[in-house]
Amino acid sequence: MDLLGLSVREMSKGLRDKQFTSAELTRVFLAEAKRRNDELNAYVLLTETEALAQAEASDARYAEGKPLSALDGIPCALKDIFNTRGVRTTCCSKMLERFVPPYDATAVSKLRDAGVVFLGKTNMDEFACGGSTEHSCFGPTMNPADPSTIAGGSSGGSAAAVAGNMAPFAMGTDTGGSIRQPASLCGCVGLKPTYGRISRSGVTSMASSLDTIGHFTKTVGDSALILQALAGHDPRDATTPEVLVPDYLKDLEKGVKGLKIGLPKEYFAEGVDPEVRDAVMAVAKVYESLGAIVKEVSLPCTKYAVAVYYIIMPAELSANLARFDGIRYGSRPKKEGESIVDYYYNARGEGFGAEIKRRIMIGTYVLSAGYYDAFYNKALKVRTLIKNDFDAVFKEVDVLLTPTSPIPAFKPGEKINDPIAMYLADALTIPANAAGVPALSVPCGVTAAGLPIGMQLITPQFTESLLFQVGRAYEKAVG
Ligand code: GLN
């Protein structure tokens, strides 16, 4: 049996029916990860011994007929920004090169309690800042669909691990597109849930008002199953409201008949690759054939999203990264210097990469006296307008359909020296973070060159069930 090709739901059934064991599954994925990692660089750490011990414990539970959950015994990969008890967690920064957390992130402990097996930690842009993993201190992750191109970012390692059959599912974070963009570039399903739907406790903060936890899977149904295990209030994260967690699989097969699907014209404008645009327009036709009503809509403030993000994100990032001073958090500098200021200067100078330094400078600037109102406060106001656009459009339609990334995967080095070009790659994913609404990227074809294309579905806050329902309808129709 081709264990590598199974979905999580199929694996779960296979484990229950005793077709294979968790140890078998875990060995197969570890072997594939080792075989491909030299080329792809998806993992920065494989925790083989721990994984096999977890798998054997899971098999013992199945043997007794007492699995902990539907996810018991299923292997998974974790972005190296999730704190893992006793296992190095670097955020792919030299600053945290030797950091071993004393506790698990809430998302990790929920998965652990469900019986999930952790294969290892995946590559990412340093502190989740980037869209290609080229800002990782471990070097970039390459795309399994075409290893001469990058996997996207910042959660590129997790996307490549799932698309490259090196993990059945993987965890990531999305602040401006870091789950959806690499999912789209690598050809897997990526979910950014509603802001606050999954606890962020124990996951290093990038920009706190935008950060979300989510995951990569091969299928939409798997995405629903995993959200079920992770969603909910956590007393350790005050931004997780006590909103009821529905049964995410209940409406999965309901179809789209009668649903209103909006195509926001701003998301198909200049800058979107014609092959990407055509692929997403073809999806709209599929939905129409399934009985949905498709119409053009407008979100006029979309054009401000990137500018707003690159003020709010660096402002929050610069504050969050202030704790990494080589004393409270982060590595000691090689040279300590004469004064405490020298010490900070050396610790932060050595520990942070160039992109992080650029963002700290921007963030500090927009928060400084005299500029705070002109930049930061203004950006907050425009953010509200972006949110208002979504509120208005969801009075007209049930769901939005857009491209995820305006372009398919690119070559390493192509954008690294042009930060603005790199930032524009997130133009279509950032608005959902600004508004706090959930969004799902689903594969919808390939370019003539064979590179994956992803479509993005967006729905109102806390309606992930609808996202899955609509995503699944397409997946089922095209096979
Ligand atoms: N690529 C975006 C950035 O560089 C998004 C990052 C993210 O979502 N973590 O900020």
Side-chain angles (χ1 to χ4, degrees), residues 6-295:
L6 298 178
S7 70
V8 172
R9 293 171 81 201
E10 288 163 342
M11 277 176 205
S12 177
K13 184 168 184 309
L15 286 167
R16 268 195 318 274
D17 296 347
K18 309 232 164 15
Q19 289 174 16
F20 43 80
T21 65
S22 172
E24 278 169 328
L25 267 182
T26 303
R27 273 199 205 95
V28 163
F29 278 98
L30 284 170
E32 189 66 0
K34 283 197 265 186
R35 189 178 75 78
R36 298 196 78 182
N37 209 46
D38 280 350
E39 183 186 27
L40 299 179
N41 198 25
Y43 283 93
V44 296
L45 184 73
L46 280 170
T47 48
E48 188 166 5
T49 317
E50 295 89 332
L52 288 169
Q54 280 183 297
E56 274 154 27
S58 166
D59 288 333
R61 290 190 291 270
Y62 276 104
E64 274 181 49
K66 287 186 187 144
L68 297 170
S69 77
L71 295 179
D72 200 340
I74 309 284
C76 131
L78 299 167
K79 185 179 185 178
D80 206 22
I81 195 169
F82 286 78
N83 276 353
T84 40
R85 189 179 65 220
V87 173
R88 189 189 73 174
T89 302
T90 66
C91 294
C92 293
S93 175
K94 275 174 68 188
M95 184 58 97
L96 290 173
E97 192 163 57
R98 285 181 292 278
F99 177 56
V100 178
Y103 71 103
D104 279 335
T106 298
V108 174
S109 68
K110 282 194 169 187
L111 293 176
R112 205 187 280 284
D113 292 346
V116 168
V117 171
F118 301 124
L119 298 170
K121 309 296 290 283
T122 59
N123 200 11
M124 56 186 277
D125 287 287
E126 182 173 11
F127 287 106
C129 293
S132 68
T133 63
E134 289 171 284
H135 297 304
S136 163
C137 74
F138 297 103
T141 295
M142 306 317 288
N143 194 319
D146 173 358
S148 74
T149 65
I150 50 81
S154 66
S155 316
S158 285
V162 172
N165 280 338
M166 302 159 85
F169 79 97
M171 297 302 301
T173 60
D174 189 314
T175 301
S178 276
I179 290 176
R180 290 159 288 156
Q181 185 258 23
S184 156
L185 268 46
C186 290
C188 54
V189 175
L191 171 71
K192 177 211 104 68
T194 306
Y195 179 77
R197 182 72 292 192
I198 299 179
S199 167
R200 293 172 296 139
S201 175
V203 179
T204 303
S205 303
M206 178 183 167
S208 309
S209 77
L210 299 157
D211 290 346
T212 47
I213 307 296
H215 41 269
F216 297 87
T217 54
K218 287 208 180 91
T219 68
V220 175
D222 285 359
S223 195
L225 180 69
I226 287 150
L227 182 62
Q228 200 75 53
L230 294 168
H233 171 67
D234 176 12
R236 290 194 172 138
D237 178 351
T239 65
T240 54
E242 309 229 19
V243 172
L244 183 86
V245 177
D247 177 349
Y248 289 117
L249 289 164
K250 198 169 98 318
D251 294 337
L252 192 63
E253 307 293 343
K254 229 169 135 184
V256 291
K257 203 165 174 13
L259 280 184
K260 292 198 202 85
I261 299 182
L263 300 175
K265 62 169 192 254
E266 294 79 5
Y267 285 66
F268 293 86
E270 206 194 323
V272 177
D273 185 296
E275 282 188 284
V276 172
R277 197 182 48 220
D278 292 351
V280 179
M281 293 312 266
V283 175
K285 288 269 171 287
V286 172
Y287 280 131
E288 248 169 8
S289 75
L290 296 172
I293 302 140
V294 177
K295 63 183 249 184

